[in-house]
Amino acid sequence: MPGKNMKKMSALALVAVAASFSLTACGGGDSSGSAAGAASSAPAGGGGTPLGAASDGSGSASTPPSGSGDSASGSNAAAGSGKDTGSGTGGGAGSSSGGACKTANLAFSASGGMAEGELLVNLKNTSSTACSMHGFPGVDLKGVYGTEHATRSAMNVPTVKLAAGQETHFTLHYPPNHTGGSGVTFTKMIVTPPNETHSHTLNAGISIPVTDKSGGPGITVDPVGAGK
């Protein structure tokens, strides 16, 4: 009997151990399953939130620099256009310094020269800006017998700058009439300033001796501003 009881107890113990292993195996399977489920759901939920936050953060972080960059470039463009306008303005101001004197901006008058046979023609700048002249004027003398053109003298040509209201002159040379006869009289003098195409007519009373035209009348003109 004692031997049978021992066998029964051993058998029961084995069944209990087997049952214990079975329960442990079932419990372990559920635990790993729930752990896996939790693990699979946790990264999805936890990973989504940080990615969303990082995306929002990078978007908000990139927006201000982009906006400030546009604004800065816009202000630079405005500053650039301002400089261009200034240089443009700088440019308009330079042209106001004056150029060649124009016939329309000159007052003409005539007076006796330093010697007989000389006539001074005065040119006054009547504009509000400075101007300049360089060269010989054109001079034509008109009378009842026709027109005589003055030839250029051999004098050096200066450059004359006239401020507003300032005056210069040139000298006309002609042979005085000492023949005792009437000679040839010119009543009009047509003056064209250097580098101009428009002329101005002055009254004149110039009498020269009659010539045979072989050597010309001997009427010459000096450059504007020469002999000051």
Side-chain angles (χ1 to χ4, degrees):
M1 290 296 290
K4 290 182 180 179
N5 289 335
M6 290 294 293
K7 289 181 180 180
K8 287 181 181 180
M9 289 177 65
S10 298
L12 289 173
L14 288 173
V15 170
V17 170
S20 173
F21 278 122
S22 175
L23 289 172
T24 302
C26 290
D30 293 340
S31 173
S32 63
S34 63
S40 63
S41 61
T49 303
L51 285 175
S55 174
D56 293 341
S58 64
S60 62
S62 62
T63 301
S66 149
S68 63
D70 293 342
S71 172
S73 65
S75 65
N76 288 341
S81 64
K83 290 178 183 177
D84 291 343
T85 304
S87 67
T89 305
S95 63
S96 67
S97 61
C101 296
K102 302 297 183 183
T103 304
N105 295 327
L106 293 171
F108 297 77
S109 62
S111 58
M114 298 295 294
E116 190 179 15
E118 289 184 356
L119 185 69
L120 293 182
V121 178
N122 307 300
L123 309 171
K124 183 178 181 180
N125 179 14
T126 59
S127 71
S128 58
T129 59
C131 66
S132 62
M133 282 183 280
H134 179 86
F136 288 86
V139 177
D140 292 308
L141 298 176
K142 294 186 70 174
V144 293
Y145 297 107
T147 302
E148 290 290 345
H149 180 72
T151 59
R152 296 177 177 182
S153 70
M155 293 189 70
N156 291 328
V157 179
T159 296
V160 180
K161 296 181 180 180
L162 296 179
Q166 202 169 21
E167 186 177 275
T168 187
H169 69 267
F170 66 85
T171 303
L172 181 73
H173 304 270
Y174 60 92
N177 182 20
H178 295 308
T179 63
S182 60
V184 178
T185 301
F186 301 100
T187 57
K188 298 291 182 183
M189 179 170 53
I190 303 170
V191 179
T192 307
N195 304 308
E196 255 285 21
T197 56
H198 298 86
S199 59
H200 182 85
T201 302
L202 291 168
N203 293 324
I206 296 174
S207 178
I208 64 173
V210 177
T211 65
D212 59 4
K213 299 289 186 180
S214 59
I219 301 173
T220 60
V221 62
D222 292 340
V224 171
K228 278 190 172 183

